[in-house]
Amino acid sequence: MHCPNCKGKNIGKIGNQQFYCWNCFIELSLVNEVLDVHQVEPDGSLSSLNDLFSEDERRLQL
């Protein structure tokens, strides 16, 4: 799996179908082989970053 933001492979699993990129500090959720990309806010809430990437960029790449 590659991060759609930094293209890095330093991805850790944090839950069922949930991952975290340790390079750019974003959370990734896998839904139907497409990643939902979120920024973790200081209060712990998530802000969607999906609008920054096309669906093809977010499609699971092994």
Side-chain angles (χ1 to χ4, degrees):
M1 178 184 295
H2 295 87
C3 175
N5 186 49
C6 70
K7 309 298 184 218
K9 294 177 77 175
N10 193 11
I11 306 289
K13 187 168 185 169
I14 59 173
N16 187 23
Q17 303 297 319
Q18 293 180 304
F19 305 89
Y20 188 78
C21 178
W22 291 99
N23 292 337
C24 56
F25 312 111
I26 60 174
E27 188 172 309
L28 311 163
S29 300
L30 187 59
V31 179
N32 297 326
E33 296 193 17
V34 175
L35 293 169
D36 282 337
V37 184
H38 295 92
Q39 176 177 319
V40 181
E41 299 295 341
D43 66 357
S45 64
L46 299 175
S47 297
S48 177
L49 299 177
N50 288 343
D51 59 335
L52 301 177
F53 306 98
S54 70
E55 186 170 327
D56 286 339
E57 290 175 305
R58 294 185 294 120
R59 190 161 307 282
L60 184 62
Q61 299 172 12
L62 299 174

